[in-house]
Amino acid sequence: MRIEKLIVKDFRSHSLTKVNFTSGINLIIGQNGSGKSSLLDALLVGLYWPSKPKDLRKEEVLRAGGKSTEITVFFEKDGVKYQLHRNITRGMAFAKYYDGSSWKHATETSQKAVRDWMERLVPYDVFLNAIYIRQGEIDAILESDESREKVVRQVLGLEKYENAYRNLLEVRKEIERRIKSTEDYLKSTENLDELIVEMERELSNALKEINELSPQIPKLEKELEGVERKLKELDALEKEINSLRLEVKEREGNRKRLETKLEELEKRIAEGRQRLHELEDRVKEFQRLKEKAELYLRLSDFRRRYVDEKARNEKLAENYRAQISAIEERLKELSELEKRLRGLEKERDKLERKLKGLEKDARAYEDARSLSSQLEDLRKRLKLSRGEIEKFIEEIEDAKKRKEEIQAELNEINGERGGLKNLARERNRAIMELKKAKGKCPVCGRELTEKHRKEIIAKYQAELKDVSQSLKELDERERELRSELVKIEKILKRERELIRQKELLDQIAELEERLKGYDLEELRKKAEEYEGVKDELSRLEGELESTKAELEKAKALEKKRTITGEKLRLIEERLRKLDEELKEMGFSEIGELDEKLAELEPSYKRYLELRNSEEEFEREKSNLDRLKLELEEVKSSLDAESRALKERMDELSKKEKLYSMEEHEKTREAFASLREELAGKKAQLEALERKRDETMENLRKLKEERERRKEKAKELEELKKARDRVQELREKVRRYKAMLKEGALAKVGEIASEIFEELTEEKYSGVTVKAEENKIRLGVIYNGKERGLGFLSGGERIALGLAFRLALSLYLAGEISLLILDEPTPYLDDERRRRLVDIMQRYLRKIPQVIVVSHDEELKDAADRVIRVSLENGVSVVKEVELGV
């Protein structure tokens, strides 16, 4: 897999970012918080959303102020180009592949379909464990032997073998379960042949009984049909007689009810006439009291309104008078504040003049403090004295001269080696020709004798031996020179740091010289006085502002007093009008009105008692008319019911003469007996036929079961063979996993040793990796002895963790084409970061594409392509950096 392009929109701090990736080492660099690691998160989200990564949620990825989070990843795998797009906010996604002429959809356009497709192409666990080295993974390696073992299992893919080992156990258990089930089945079906013979005998008996019973049923059916016809005739006559009897009884009841209702209606009409006469007297009394009741209501309403409005307005008037009094008191207080304001303004002018005089000294003190802080910072960064720097510079100059000498000598060695190899080829070719030659010698042209042949071959072989010895000596000298060259390179790598240290010394001297021109103690006193005056002036200005604000309130208070006075006048006018209205009603005070209301109250209460009398009179009159009409209808119904009753009684007498209950009962008994006998015969026949069918079906199943039993016996033998094969395969998987882990850890240990030696300047001569049950122990070789992690310093522990994790990925370099490193340099010191550059150049180039995210500028020296991320106005901006800049 190789990443070609990443396009991110409204993701965290990225508004619209496009990043192109090439083969080789791609470095994404920027300060912390600039948004560089967000690009890796966007890559994970783009490839595996929504189920992975689990620690990211939709609401966390949308940029503040953004509208829609979108991610597009272009990548190549196994020679095919792919494009994967997701709109996280809208829940949309698609995956496409390029067929050489156009882009075509690889799966359905949904988040789940695209996620499942990507999991099949590159599983998430493979991507996260083999391809992507996260920030916290180095710490996990160092945390414990158990956590280190977990990382190794994930990266090397050992879990799939462990899963296979466990799954094969489950397969074996399933096979054993099926063997047990099959054996139980065969044991339970041993007597099948005996059951089949018994079933065939039962079938023969059932067929014989069916043939004897079948002719009897039609005879019984014909006899039952004649009895049933006669029974139906008698049933119909009985039903008709019963119906007439019921109707006669019902009509007799109806006639009695109508006679009772007639008496009741005549009684209710007499009572209604008496009630109507009483209601007529109540209506006349109600009309006489109507005028007094209306006067009572009018006076009562006026009194309620008069009392409510007077009480409310008198309360408002009292409130307005209190407000006016308070306002006048406040205005008197504000007149005193004007004198205070003039005094504060004079004091402020005095402090401003003093502050202006101290301002220059305060600025000078701040400048001196800034220079002192810079000087302190530079001194902390300084690690060497000027004498040490000059000494190291001399060493570096000597190293440069010696490097040139070594390079010249190596060139001479290469030339000399080439001449010796050419001579060796010539002598070997001559020996081959001599061995084949006949007649004349191919070397000197003389007659070739066997003695002469042997002499020349011996001579050339001696020369080849001398050439071989010379080549060995040249190789040994080259190894010595290259070993010396490695040490010289270590010295030359310090040149950049020495230049920085020299620049620091020059800056320190310049700052010390500038600080001599300041009297820091005097300036400090002036600065403190300046701050004191500044605080006092700030307090005074605050008091001035509050005093002015208070004086501004005077105008508002005068306006409020005028408005409140006008409101009071209106309230008093309303109270006067209420008293005038009382007099217009004919009362000089409220007490007279109360006396009048007490006088009218009894008439009003009687009026209320009689207010429904008119409606009751009309209702009673209407009810009486209705009762009279109902009386006439009942008389008419009673006559009709009497005539109908006589007709039904005559008809019933005729039907009873035609019916005999004794004959009816005999016919019913004969019908029941025949029907019961017929039903028994039919039930017996059905039972026999059902038994026949069941026996035939059971017989068929038993014969099929007999054939199935033969197949099960064969299947049992195959299952036993399969169980043995699964157990054998399970053992092979266990042995292969152990061999793979042992071999992989040995190779990883070799690679980690090389990297760790370089990171620690060859202080340690190797790394030991030992696998135990659920543990992987790490150690180092120091002075020929193995040491534990507790022997290492903090920086060395980090270097070892980084070396071990890089070794895991480099072990897989032949299987993976992409490696992603997220911040590989945290906690590494300057020297180890510089060494990491060399390691990346030598080792990581074995992997076709590497993407590194870091804030360390030094890693640019190892990169083929540099992408810088910065934060501008809260938005991440991505720019490509030219190498060497």
Side-chain angles (χ1 to χ4, degrees), residues 26 103 180 229 357:
N26 298 260
W103 289 98
K180 178 68 168 56
R229 189 164 48 249

Side-chain angles (χ1 to χ4, degrees), residues 426-545:
E426 290 174 1
R427 293 295 180 259
N428 281 317
R429 187 167 57 250
I431 290 171
M432 293 296 293
E433 290 176 355
L434 281 167
K435 288 180 178 179
K436 297 177 183 178
K438 293 180 180 179
K440 291 184 178 182
C441 175
V443 178
C444 61
R446 293 185 301 167
E447 188 68 25
L448 183 64
T449 63
E450 190 60 31
K451 181 181 178 183
H452 184 53
R453 186 202 308 271
K454 289 180 179 179
E455 288 176 352
I456 297 174
I457 288 174
K459 177 185 175 183
Y460 285 173
Q461 287 176 341
E463 289 180 8
L464 284 172
K465 187 175 181 181
D466 292 340
V467 167
S468 176
Q469 181 62 34
S470 298
L471 285 172
K472 287 180 181 179
E473 292 173 357
L474 288 174
D475 290 341
E476 181 62 29
R477 179 57 180 163
E478 183 179 8
R479 277 194 295 273
E480 292 174 358
L481 290 173
R482 291 199 178 278
S483 176
E484 186 180 356
L485 195 61
V486 169
K487 296 176 181 178
I488 289 171
E489 288 293 344
K490 292 179 181 178
I491 296 171
L492 291 176
K493 285 178 182 178
R494 303 189 64 179
E495 183 176 16
R496 188 183 302 173
E497 180 61 24
L498 289 172
I499 292 170
R500 290 198 190 107
Q501 292 287 306
K502 190 173 183 303
E503 290 174 350
L504 285 175
L505 275 173
D506 295 339
Q507 291 173 16
I508 289 169
E510 181 186 351
L511 289 175
E512 288 174 343
E513 186 64 30
R514 288 174 64 185
L515 279 171
K516 290 178 181 179
Y518 293 95
D519 186 349
L520 283 175
E521 183 60 28
E522 183 63 27
L523 288 174
R524 183 185 63 76
K525 294 177 181 178
K526 293 287 187 181
E528 289 177 355
E529 186 180 359
Y530 175 83
E531 290 299 325
V533 172
K534 191 175 179 182
D535 292 343
E536 179 62 22
L537 182 60
S538 177
R539 183 197 63 76
L540 192 62
E541 286 177 343
E543 189 176 349
L544 271 169
E545 288 298 321

Side-chain angles (χ1 to χ4, degrees), residues 252-368:
E252 285 176 344
N254 288 343
R255 185 177 66 180
K256 190 173 182 179
R257 283 193 298 274
L258 287 170
E259 289 172 347
T260 302
K261 190 174 183 181
L262 186 64
E263 292 176 2
E264 184 182 344
L265 284 172
E266 289 173 345
K267 182 180 178 182
R268 287 173 62 190
I269 288 170
E271 291 173 351
R273 286 172 178 158
Q274 178 64 29
R275 175 66 177 160
L276 194 63
H277 179 69
E278 293 173 358
L279 287 171
E280 189 174 4
D281 292 339
R282 288 169 64 88
V283 169
K284 289 177 183 178
E285 184 182 0
F286 175 76
Q287 295 295 336
R288 288 196 304 272
L289 294 172
K290 188 174 184 181
E291 185 177 349
K292 289 183 178 182
E294 289 174 352
L295 176 60
Y296 177 84
L297 284 173
R298 189 165 64 255
L299 292 176
S300 180
D301 290 342
F302 171 75
R303 185 191 185 283
R304 185 167 49 255
R305 181 171 59 83
Y306 175 86
V307 171
D308 290 348
E309 288 191 17
K310 185 156 184 153
R312 186 172 62 255
N313 288 320
E314 284 177 346
K315 187 175 180 180
L316 284 172
E318 184 180 352
N319 187 30
Y320 289 149
R321 291 188 191 100
Q323 287 183 31
I324 291 169
S325 176
I327 289 169
E328 289 175 346
E329 186 67 28
R330 182 61 179 151
L331 287 171
K332 185 190 263 187
E333 292 174 1
L334 290 175
S335 65
E336 296 295 325
L337 279 177
E338 292 183 0
K339 297 176 184 178
R340 172 66 178 158
L341 179 64
R342 288 191 291 273
L344 290 172
E345 288 175 341
K346 288 179 182 179
E347 191 176 348
R348 180 193 61 190
D349 295 341
K350 182 180 176 182
L351 286 173
E352 285 179 344
R353 288 193 297 272
K354 187 175 181 180
L355 188 68
K356 191 171 182 181
L358 293 168
E359 188 174 2
K360 183 177 179 182
D361 290 334
R363 280 203 301 269
Y365 178 67
E366 286 301 319
D367 292 342

Side-chain angles (χ1 to χ4, degrees), residues 384-397 498 502 505:
L384 300 172
S385 66
R386 190 175 294 278
E388 290 173 329
I389 291 172
E390 290 174 355
K391 179 184 176 183
F392 285 136
I393 288 174
E394 290 177 5
E395 290 182 5
I396 288 170
E397 291 300 323
L498 289 172
K502 190 173 183 303
L505 275 173

Side-chain angles (χ1 to χ4, degrees), residues 651-665:
E651 187 177 355
L652 175 61
S653 178
K654 293 177 182 178
K655 295 288 184 182
E656 285 176 340
K657 293 176 181 179
L658 299 174
Y659 176 74
S660 171
M661 184 179 293
E662 184 180 354
E663 182 185 7
H664 192 181
E665 187 61 32

Side-chain angles (χ1 to χ4, degrees), residues 549-566:
E550 287 294 318
L551 288 172
E552 284 294 324
K553 294 177 182 178
K555 294 178 182 178
L557 286 170
E558 289 175 353
K559 184 177 180 181
K560 186 176 180 182
R561 179 176 60 182
T562 303
I563 294 170
T564 306
E566 180 62 24

Side-chain angles (χ1 to χ4, degrees), residues 67 146 152 199 214 238 349 397 409 421-422 465 650 797 815 872:
K67 296 180 179 178
E146 290 78 9
V152 169
M199 283 286 177
S214 296
E238 182 187 33
D349 295 341
E397 291 300 323
E409 189 173 351
K421 287 182 177 179
N422 286 334
K465 187 175 181 181
D650 295 341
R797 282 172 60 87
E815 301 177 25
E872 298 179 8

